[in-house]
Structures are given as C-alpha cells and as structure tokens.
Amino acid sequence: MITLRKTGSFFVGGRRVNVRGQAPYRVTLSSTSTRDYDPNGTYWIEAAYVQYFLQATPRYAVPLVLMHGGGLTGAMWEDTPDGRPGWLQRLLEAGVSVYVVDNVERGRAGFCALDGIWPDRPLSRSDEESAKIYRFGYAGHRFPLDAMQGLSAQTVPRWPGTSALQRQALIDVVRRIGPCALLGFSQGGGLVFDAADAVRDLVRACIALEPHGVPASFDAGLPGTSALVVFGDFIEEDRAWRAHATRASASIDAWNAAGGEGERIDLPALGMRGNTHMMMMDENSDDVLRVVLDWLDRCAGMRLMR
C-alpha cells in the first residue's frame, strides 16, 4: 500500500531569449484555424521538469531523485515495456519519496524549437542502434524483446550539444529540492556524479547505473558521501562497455581518494546473469532494484533518526 502526503511538479532553471528580425509566415493549426505566425518575441527555454511523490512515512531521511538516460525521459522509470511495474512504482511501494526528472529537451521539459539557439542537429536512436548499445544481441539476455516497441515508443530525440545545460539543470534541481540522493542511468549516471560533486553539501548518496561521462577526478574534501556504480552482464564481451566500466571504476577510485565512500557492483558477481544496459526494464528488474535498495539501506546519509 502506498500512502503519499503530497504529489506535484515544477520546472527548474532555464533562461530567457529574445527573437528579433524574423519574418512572419502563414500556419495551419487545425481544420478551422489558419493564421499568420510571428516568431519574434520573448521565450523561456532550457528548463527541466520535475514530478514528485512524497511519502507520508518515508523509508529514508531524504528523497531519491531519478535521472533518465540519453534519448529517454522520466517515463523510463514507469511501467516496463512489457507492462510490469517499473522502478517508480516499486520505490513508492518500498516507502521511498521520489523526484523524477525530465531534463532539458526531454519529455515534459521545455524544448527549444527556435532557429539558431541550439546549433547542432538532434539525434534519434533506431531500434538497430538500441539493440547494439543496450546489449540485446547476447544469448541469455533478459530484456523482453517481444515488447521492444514499448521501448522504441518512449525514445526521443537528443541534442549532442546540450550536455552542459543538462548538468546545470540537475544541479539546479538538487538546489531546489535540498538534501537528497541521486540515481542516474547511462548519460544520467555521469550527470549525477557531476551534480553530487558540485553540490556535495546536499547529496547524501549517488548511484549510477552503467554510467558514461563520469568525472575523472574530484576535489578533495568529499564528506564521506556514499557512491555506487552498477553494471550488468556481457560487459567483457563488448569493447565499448569495457571502456565505460573501466572509466567508471577509475571514477570511483577518484571519489574515494577525495574522501568519499564509493564501490562498484557487478550483477553477475551476485549470481544475477543476463542483465542488459536496460536493467530497470529487464525481466528481473525487481531483483536489480532490490540490490540498489539494500545498498541504500546501508548508507549512513539515508538513515532516519528514530
């Protein structure tokens, strides 16, 4: 049973831009509405969207912030592509207060369709690229391929040049929320380490699921903050993922050298075989989440004062 004291949402960050000197043009908005559109004016762009679910009796002293991966949105934490409850549902059932982020140019966040503001072209991920990057081609993988359409449907365009904007947006999110723990996936895994370093006085724990873009070093003086990276199966069989895992391990070493308390968990070492990059959607996604929750339960910064 889930008992929440409050739910809601808000936008964070962004900036104002002014468009001038553009020619109006005719647009058709519906079968009964055609008008001249003037693109000149003032716009607010590059805000992140955050939805929250706060428990009446929380499991932890601070909420957990979920950060999606590249080409995805906060929807990735909801139901799995084959219709099972996703991590958001399971976290709420476990008594965890949760904030779900849609970062800049993703999901319900503010997009920027203005010419010349974002200079690069958006990228879309095909099913074929997804299958390769997500390691769906290995025998024994546990992603429900019969439901691949459900993953394809939630895949959205991404702009390569917005990484710095996304990093700042997550930092702004943490400052808005206050003390919290961060859980990020893939590109989002690198972002949560960046944010945890930038606002280290507010982040009590940091978890990255198969991250890339993780920092190579951290300034000294991390206040014993717990950090975790998690990797699934078939890492050694894939050259790119071997490199990502090596860099993530080096980042954990740097985190510890700066005063933090970090570790890496490889699911096969726990007897959990077949997990892909999309471990929160794999057939054993509940088991993977249990590993994360068990780790959070041990974190000193997460404990409630009774």
Side-chain angles (χ1 to χ4, degrees):
M1 179 175 171
I2 300 171
T3 305
L4 301 177
R5 66 174 176 84
K6 188 177 183 182
T7 65
S9 63
F10 54 85
F11 290 86
V12 171
R15 64 188 173 102
R16 193 178 305 281
V17 296
N18 293 292
V19 175
R20 298 288 182 267
Q22 300 295 313
Y25 53 93
R26 196 76 174 166
V27 296
T28 298
L29 301 178
S30 73
S31 60
T32 59
S33 177
T34 299
R35 64 181 178 85
D36 289 329
Y37 171 68
D38 184 356
N40 299 295
T42 303
Y43 302 85
W44 191 268
I45 64 171
E46 298 167 359
Y49 171 85
V50 183
Q51 187 177 29
Y52 59 87
F53 308 82
L54 304 183
Q55 300 279 356
T57 306
R59 177 176 182 143
Y60 299 127
V62 298
L64 183 64
V65 180
L66 302 183
M67 184 69 255
H68 58 72
L72 294 166
T73 74
M76 65 169 288
W77 306 110
E78 298 174 6
D79 289 355
T80 65
D82 57 345
R84 291 171 290 115
W87 279 20
L88 174 59
Q89 173 77 14
R90 295 306 192 207
L91 286 165
L92 296 179
E93 291 173 351
V96 182
S97 291
V98 180
Y99 287 78
V100 182
V101 179
D102 281 355
N103 214 331
V104 178
E105 47 87 343
R106 308 283 177 82
R108 287 174 285 183
F111 276 68
C112 176
L114 306 172
D115 291 342
I117 302 298
W118 291 346
D120 52 2
R121 298 169 60 186
L123 305 178
S124 295
R125 178 163 290 163
S126 67
D127 288 351
E128 292 78 9
E129 183 186 29
S130 294
K132 178 175 174 55
I133 292 175
Y134 299 161
R135 306 194 305 278
F136 294 166
Y138 293 99
H141 77 79
R142 303 196 67 175
F143 182 82
L145 272 183
D146 288 346
M148 180 68 185
Q149 181 178 336
L151 176 56
S152 301
Q154 63 180 274
T155 301
V156 298
R158 63 189 294 184
W159 278 257
T162 60
S163 294
L165 298 175
Q166 295 195 336
R167 175 185 182 275
Q168 185 58 52
L170 183 55
I171 291 170
D172 292 340
V173 167
V174 173
R175 287 177 174 153
R176 167 74 179 263
I177 294 170
C180 61
L182 304 177
L183 190 161
F185 165 70
S186 197
Q187 180 197 28
L191 293 176
V192 298
F193 266 90
D194 267 335
D197 186 32
V199 281
R200 55 180 65 185
D201 58 318
L202 296 176
V203 177
R204 301 291 183 264
C206 178
I207 304 166
L209 309 177
E210 296 197 352
H212 63 83
V214 290
S217 63
F218 302 92
D219 292 335
L222 277 169
T225 306
S226 298
L228 173 69
V229 295
V230 182
F231 281 88
D233 210 344
F234 319 113
I235 299 298
E236 291 305 312
E237 289 92 330
D238 188 288
R239 182 170 154 187
W241 279 111
R242 283 199 306 272
H244 287 318
T246 297
R247 284 190 287 269
S249 291
S251 185
I252 286 291
D253 290 342
W255 183 271
N256 290 335
E261 298 177 359
E263 64 178 301
R264 170 178 163 178
I265 291 178
D266 290 271
L267 297 178
L270 304 180
M272 299 172 63
R273 307 292 314 194
N275 282 110
T276 70
H277 189 45
M278 307 304 297
M279 59 183 71
M280 75 299 299
M281 299 179 184
D282 286 340
E283 294 166 344
N284 65 335
S285 56
D286 287 353
D287 296 333
V288 180
L289 179 58
R290 197 168 298 115
V291 171
V292 172
L293 285 173
D294 287 347
W295 182 85
L296 282 170
D297 287 343
R298 298 193 298 271
C299 291
M302 302 298 292
R303 294 173 192 154
L304 285 167
M305 300 301 291
R306 300 294 186 184

